[in-house]
Amino acid sequence: MIVSPLSNARFPVPLEWGEPPGADAVPAARRLVVAILREWGVPLLGDALREVELCASEVIANAMVHAKQRCLVAVRWRAGRVRVEVADRCAELPARERDEEATGGRGLLLVEALAHAWGWHPAGVGKVVWFEYLETAEAPCPTHGWGTAHGLHALPEAA
């Protein structure tokens, strides 16, 4: 979050960080993605936020497993979309495993099922895998988790 020198304007900017491989890297990175979205106030209901967290976990874990080195994670929010990108230096292309007997390879199938869009593109010697999630139409209720505001309208003036 960037705060203006006047401390009255706040707006989200893309955040990027390097994530070194390790046992705690994926859980820490996915929690950071969620913390960023909460700090920015992105209008995502609880289920949507959990789905973003799960998708982030899958693409970050794939980068860690295949590249076996530091990956770069970026979170962006603009035009009603959240975008999470994970860049690695592995030349192996992402693949969605469809073999029912396989013990792995279902992470991208999960991302495909949950995210509104996903894909990848080459980047130097590696690639960037990304997914996008649309803002939720309903805004969280100002009661901080005690409910959700649906179709709010102005109350009529009392006579």
Side-chain angles (χ1 to χ4, degrees), residues 62-129:
N62 281 349
M64 297 283 178
V65 166
H66 297 290
K68 297 178 178 54
Q69 57 183 301
R70 177 182 292 279
C71 64
L72 181 68
V73 181
V75 181
R76 305 177 195 299
W77 177 36
R78 66 175 180 251
R81 293 177 175 268
V82 169
R83 183 177 176 113
V84 176
E85 300 175 348
V86 180
D88 64 47
R89 297 179 55 88
C90 178
E92 183 180 342
L93 301 180
R96 299 178 319 243
E97 182 66 55
R98 295 197 186 271
D99 180 7
E100 292 181 16
E101 301 298 318
T103 59
R106 290 181 178 80
L108 289 178
L109 289 172
L110 188 62
V111 171
E112 183 176 331
L114 296 176
H116 291 102
W118 83 277
W120 67 274
H121 58 84
V125 297
K127 65 192 168 302
V128 174
V129 178

